[in-house]
Amino acid sequence: MTASRLLSTTGPDLAAHVAAFGARPSPSLDRLLGELESAGLEGRGGAGFPVHRKLAAVARAAVRGGAPIVVGNGSEGEPLSAKDRVLLQRAPHLVIDGLLICAEALGADEAHLVVHADARLAVEKALVERRDAAIVRLHVADHGFVGGEASALVAGVAGRPGVPSDRVVRLAERGLRRRPTLVQNVESLAQVAVIVRGGAEAHRRHGRAGDAGTRLVSVSAPGAAPIVFEVEGGTPITEILAAAGVMHEPAAVLVGGFHGTWLPPEALDAPLSPRGLDEWGASPGAGVLHVVSHGDCGIRATADMLAFLAAASARQCGPCLNGLPAIAASMRALAAGRDTRDELRRIAGLVDGRGACAHPDGTVRLLRSALTVFADDAQAHTEGRCRAGRRVRS
């Protein structure tokens, strides 16, 4: 179940990296695009967009828009994720390799790497060891949850407030300093560096159920810090939970993070892959599995998450400024025993699809899945009871 490709080095230093992976290759753009397309690599930052298509879009735009810029996203503002930090702390050179491989193939003369504060020291040390990374500039993320969205990340790199923009023109066409800009999650970049070395066929050998390669997954429970695993693509959720020491049947599992989807116990045999989770209306997202046991209250847990998401918004549009606080307040009221389910559904309908970015949509996704998976718990709360044994104020 567990695999060691991205995390196979014996240490974070350059010598250990070269011993594990060899020197950094310099493929042509055509070869890079071909390998990534054959490998079927999808982005690991949340959206799951095919990596080769992003690269190709930037390459096309560069014909007219000038030398492109490459940005690695390791900001990791998702509270339940630690995978990017662990990757940057344990294998920073693999991420730098992927960043430089993409930059060279595209003809970029500038690259940026945005990291969580916890990973800063490891990346600084790695960059000092490199003679080939003069074009890389390091940034420490400081814009919170929505600051990891691609347009917000680029705004932060440019020195502007790190908030999402309602873009008509894509970043691939006009991004940082109005130049074509490629933004890739750091795990995606590390996967690029491995695929170019070993080839698409080797990448596909490490997946199951049609999900090629490996994935980094953060597993957590209420009050516990996430534990990071590297697993084969398509591994059933139950197997990952067992490896994390979850031996009992959970009450529910949140897949994908705060913008993700709650899954009931009967869904947990599904593979952790886009196709495996599609029938449940879910996706791997940022590679998060958050376990709620029968002794935890899913309604209260979701209320806390919705309050966080409302506070984390950029407050640039009505759905964020008004809708998300209203959702958070109504969910708090439900947790306290008042029946606000109809009101929650009404507000969700007003918010969904109307925001300047995807933050309201992700918040509504979390809410709707909670009202479905925790339907019995919600009913109990309206009757002054909590199935987890928590006190309900009416």
Side-chain angles (χ1 to χ4, degrees):
M1 187 279 295
T2 57
S4 291
R5 280 168 65 79
L6 306 185
L7 303 180
S8 62
T9 58
T10 58
D13 57 282
L14 184 59
H17 169 72
V18 173
F21 296 104
R24 174 175 66 84
S26 298
S28 67
L29 178 61
D30 286 344
R31 186 199 155 201
L32 178 60
L33 291 175
E35 289 285 6
L36 296 180
E37 183 175 9
S38 297
L41 178 63
E42 297 173 337
R44 300 297 199 247
F49 195 78
V51 172
H52 77 277
R53 289 175 58 186
K54 269 193 175 183
L55 275 160
V58 172
R60 289 192 299 270
V63 175
R64 305 180 306 276
I69 297 172
V70 178
V71 180
N73 186 357
S75 57
E76 201 162 42
E78 163 61 54
L80 298 176
S81 178
K83 71 178 183 70
D84 293 344
R85 275 167 280 175
V86 168
L87 175 63
L88 288 164
Q89 289 165 344
R90 292 179 54 179
H93 288 286
L94 200 60
V95 174
I96 296 169
D97 277 357
L99 189 70
L100 293 174
I101 287 168
C102 291
E104 285 189 1
L106 288 169
D109 59 1
E110 187 176 332
H112 299 265
L113 186 52
V114 185
V115 304
H116 190 281
D118 291 349
R120 176 178 188 166
L121 184 58
V123 177
E124 283 180 340
K125 288 181 177 179
L127 287 172
V128 168
E129 291 185 287
R130 307 283 297 229
R131 295 183 177 179
D132 58 350
I135 67 169
V136 179
R137 296 291 178 268
L138 179 63
H139 308 261
V140 177
D142 61 357
H143 295 292
F145 186 84
V146 298
E149 189 270 342
S151 65
L153 194 81
V154 168
V157 168
R160 303 192 302 274
V163 295
S165 59
D166 191 358
R167 300 188 63 84
V168 176
V169 179
R170 296 181 302 166
L171 290 171
E173 298 173 8
R174 191 164 66 242
L176 185 59
R177 287 194 288 285
R178 304 179 68 81
R179 289 160 59 181
T181 302
L182 174 72
V183 179
Q184 286 287 8
N185 171 259
V186 292
E187 183 187 346
S188 304
L189 293 173
Q191 295 281 5
V192 167
V194 172
I195 290 169
V196 169
R197 286 174 165 93
E201 185 178 344
H203 177 75
R204 288 190 171 278
R205 283 200 299 268
H206 285 271
R208 354 178 189 165
D211 191 43
T214 64
R215 290 182 179 273
L216 297 179
V217 183
S218 304
V219 183
S220 62
I227 303 172
V228 175
F229 296 87
E230 184 174 7
V231 304
E232 291 185 330
T235 300
I237 294 172
T238 49
E239 288 189 29
I240 302 172
L241 298 182
V246 180
M247 307 310 296
H248 60 280
E249 181 183 84
V253 174
L254 179 63
V255 178
F258 275 33
H259 276 174
T261 306
W262 287 106
L263 296 184
E266 57 267 27
L268 302 184
D269 286 329
L272 185 67
S273 69
R275 283 155 289 279
L277 293 172
D278 186 59
E279 68 173 294
W280 297 98
S283 73
V288 166
L289 295 176
H290 184 65
V291 181
V292 169
S293 71
H294 293 280
D296 300 313
C297 178
I299 297 297
R300 290 181 184 274
T302 305
D304 289 343
M305 293 175 187
L306 292 173
F308 173 90
L309 292 171
S313 81
R315 296 173 175 82
Q316 297 184 114
C317 62
C320 270
L321 185 63
N322 302 311
L324 299 194
I327 285 174
S330 291
M331 194 65 174
R332 284 286 191 201
L334 178 60
R338 186 157 62 89
D339 190 354
T340 58
R341 290 172 292 182
D342 288 343
E343 178 68 1
L344 283 165
R345 295 185 183 99
R346 184 187 72 82
I347 302 172
L350 294 173
V351 166
D352 197 13
R354 291 177 170 84
C357 69
H359 183 57
D361 299 349
T363 304
V364 168
R365 183 184 307 115
L366 174 71
L367 167 65
R368 285 175 170 160
S369 69
L371 292 177
T372 299
V373 173
F374 301 121
D376 291 344
D377 304 78
Q379 178 62 36
H381 273 252
T382 67
E383 298 169 357
R385 299 179 293 109
C386 177
R387 284 155 51 92
R390 299 287 296 274
R391 181 173 176 269
V392 176
R393 299 189 310 273
S394 59

